[in-house]
Amino acid sequence: MQKLPRKFYSQNTILVAQELLGKFLINKKNGIIRIGKIVEVEAYLGAHDLAAHSCRGITKRTQIMYGDPGYAYVYLIYGMYHCMNIVTEPSGQGSAVLIRALEPIKHLETRTTGPGLLCQAMSIDKTYNGQDLLSNDFYVAAQKDPTPITMVKTTRVGVDYAGIWAKKKLRFYIKNNPYISRK
DNA sequence: AGGATGATATCC
DNA sequence: GATATCATCCTC
């Protein structure tokens, strides 16, 4: 397992999103190592993407999204669940990739088939906002000889308000994987 | 179809 | 300071 370098995240957001499929999200906390395989993601392209939180410019909330790539953007949604994103592209773009579903690999007891649930299972909360994903206990890694996957491209979830941006196929998942949040 | 539940942005 | 809104999930 090889930790992904900063350079990986600084690439084009769509490319990073697609490449993240099949990689492993690893979180060590209180001596427990939790590992999940990323099976579903969404790309949020930046200030011009009306479905992205960054579409209204830099605020206290979105400053992480506008910062350096390879950092976690975690926020509370609907008062009860957290969602985790990884910031992409060079600083100032406001782009990120939302992690939507994981396949449980190690120490994941509860369901991981959705952005809110996977954060619960990985024990990720808002204190992880701004965390560097190149740290020693929170990072994404690739296996040496990854098994080839078939990718499905479709529309994002919960962004009907975003006009033409709601129709763009910026959600990617591994075909036939049983842990996808929605068809 | 609706409720839980809180941070955020945008208005006065 | 008030309120409308929300990249969700579960129960009915």
Side-chain angles (χ1 to χ4, degrees):
Chain A
M1 299 273 275
Q2 193 68 36
K3 189 188 297 183
L4 298 182
R6 181 90 54 207
K7 191 178 174 183
F8 171 82
Y9 302 105
S10 69
Q11 302 176 95
N12 174 276
T13 305
I14 293 174
L15 178 70
V16 173
Q18 296 180 350
E19 288 287 322
L20 277 173
L21 291 177
K23 301 292 192 292
F24 296 84
L25 179 63
I26 297 164
N27 182 21
K28 298 183 198 174
K29 189 175 189 178
N30 300 328
I32 301 172
I33 304 177
R34 300 178 208 274
I35 303 178
K37 185 161 89 173
I38 299 170
V39 297
E40 180 182 352
V41 297
E42 285 178 6
Y44 287 87
L45 302 188
H48 56 291
D49 180 354
L50 296 182
H53 288 167
S54 53
C55 72
R56 302 215 171 228
I58 299 176
T59 65
K60 188 162 191 178
R61 182 195 206 190
T62 60
Q63 61 180 346
I64 300 294
M65 276 185 91
Y66 279 98
D68 291 326
Y71 286 80
Y73 167 48
V74 181
Y75 64 94
L76 188 65
I77 186 81
Y78 300 110
M80 354 179 38
Y81 296 99
H82 296 275
C83 290
M84 179 194 158
N85 303 250
I86 300 175
V87 178
T88 62
E89 307 204 24
S91 180
Q93 296 302 305
S95 52
V97 174
L98 170 67
I99 311 298
R100 283 197 58 88
L102 299 175
E103 177 179 329
I105 301 295
K106 196 177 177 69
H107 284 302
L108 293 178
E109 314 290 333
T110 57
R111 295 181 58 202
T112 53
T113 62
L117 294 174
L118 78 87
C119 283
Q120 205 168 285
M122 287 292 271
S123 156
I124 292 170
D125 57 31
K126 62 185 177 184
T127 65
Y128 281 69
N129 192 33
Q131 268 275 324
D132 190 354
L133 279 157
L134 273 79
S135 62
N136 285 325
D137 49 8
F138 188 48
Y139 58 94
V140 180
Q143 55 186 332
K144 207 169 184 180
D145 297 302
T147 52
I149 59 165
T150 304
M151 184 175 59
V152 177
K153 304 178 187 182
T154 185
T155 51
R156 292 176 290 185
V157 173
V159 295
D160 293 342
Y161 60 86
I164 62 161
W165 288 93
K167 299 188 175 70
K168 295 194 180 291
K169 296 189 173 180
L170 293 173
R171 175 168 163 242
F172 313 107
Y173 62 84
I174 297 176
K175 189 175 183 176
N176 296 328
N177 187 284
Y179 297 96
I180 301 308
S181 66
R182 309 192 198 180
K183 280 186 284 186

